[in-house]
Amino acid sequence: MSLDLLPLATSTAAAPNGSRTPARPWDDPHSYWDAMTRAVSAVSGPVAALHVDALRYNALDMVVRAGGVPIRVASKSVRVRAVLDAVLDLPGYRGILAFTLPEALWLATPREGARAHDDIVLGYPTADRAALAALAADETAAARITLMVDDLAQLDLIDAIAAPAARAEIRIAIDADASWRAPGLGHIGVLRSPVHEPGEVAALARAITARPGFRLVGLMMYEAQIAGQGDATGAGDAVIRWMQRRSAAELLDRRAAIVAGLRDIAPLEFVNGGGTGSLELTASDLAVTELTAGSGLLAGHLFDGYRVFDPAPAAAFALDVVRRPAPDVVTVLGGGWIASGPAVDSRQPAPVWPAGLRTAPREGAGEVQTPLRGEAARDLRVGDRVWFRHAKSGELAERVEHYHLVDSRSGANEASRTLPTYRGEGKAFL
Ligand SMILES: Cc1ncc(COP(=O)(O)O)c(C=O)c1O
């Protein structure tokens, strides 16, 4: 089924029984999570749900935050085709930032019952020989997909797979390092592109444009140390805010110089920057023509820790209570859907409803079982459900085949309204 995030008025419309629902139903957690529980009560656990009002709110809030600069959707943070399609139908969104080349080819290729996307930027370099061969042999896909490079070795690999004269022209964007080389502190940001200084980026651009079979069309600079680092997470916030201010100031000048240099070398179609956590800031950089964001749509709980926005908990999963080891402890089946990144507490799924439950320090969220302690456990019985939020937004989709859709007018047992995840469509890209 498809998903429609318009019209805007849906969330305040009257329910079939005549009652009006609040514009932000998640502000009343009791009825929000109760509605989720009722809507999937007939579905066996573990079950993942997607609240359409919350997704709509998040999607539109990001458009407002972007201040008129188009947003490219980071598909890794969604991994549900119907959600990508629905978000891209909203004004303010344009194009996909894909995470693997097989995924980009899948999204770009016309198929029965699936929309073919024609503006896909691969956000990361690829060394997938089979996928590169498929791209090189397909003029349509090659016109729709832009590859990301930061090293001529990536171009050499493409040439070795398909010689320039024997292939479609390959669209290329440069990933330039947006991290901060802080005086006295060193590298702050992700370890990705080796090209950092304007001169290094210009040299790479000249080398790309000098080679047959490639067309340089874009630049991406992702400031992870700002976009992906919450500034309202508790201890250390003052240091984080200081770092982000300094890094943003440095990046503003450097990105302007890089873009000015590149525009003398090739007519750029786009300069991409930012992520969910930096939409306002990156949009205010006049060198940037488009933003990327994805996490803020489904809102993994890592995105709760920012001062400037407050996403609605759109995606969540429910696990069944299967035993009661003590009066204030219940055990649910499953739970250990830990997010990627450093193995720290924040990467664990968060039990969110009933409120006040916490995992046991020695067990955490377990492979098969997760004990949860708290006063709320006293009222839970075998067969009841506990709701969790995943730390990251896209990774939950790797654990379930479907999201069950819920909205503020959902009744009980509306289990038939589902959207398949990439996994549910038989696709495991990463
Ligand atoms: C290249 C790139 N751009 C943007 C983003 C931001 O994505 P999101 O909004 O999902 O955090 C990411 C996330 O890691 C990224 O790798």
Side-chain angles (χ1 to χ4, degrees), residues 161-174:
I161 291 163
R167 66 162 193 250
E169 185 179 55
I170 304 294
R171 293 166 56 83
I172 296 290
I174 292 178

Side-chain angles (χ1 to χ4, degrees), residues 340-362:
S340 56
V344 294
D345 278 357
S346 62
R347 306 282 157 158
Q348 299 264 326
V352 288
W353 197 261
L357 294 172
R358 56 194 186 283
T359 53
R362 292 225 180 99

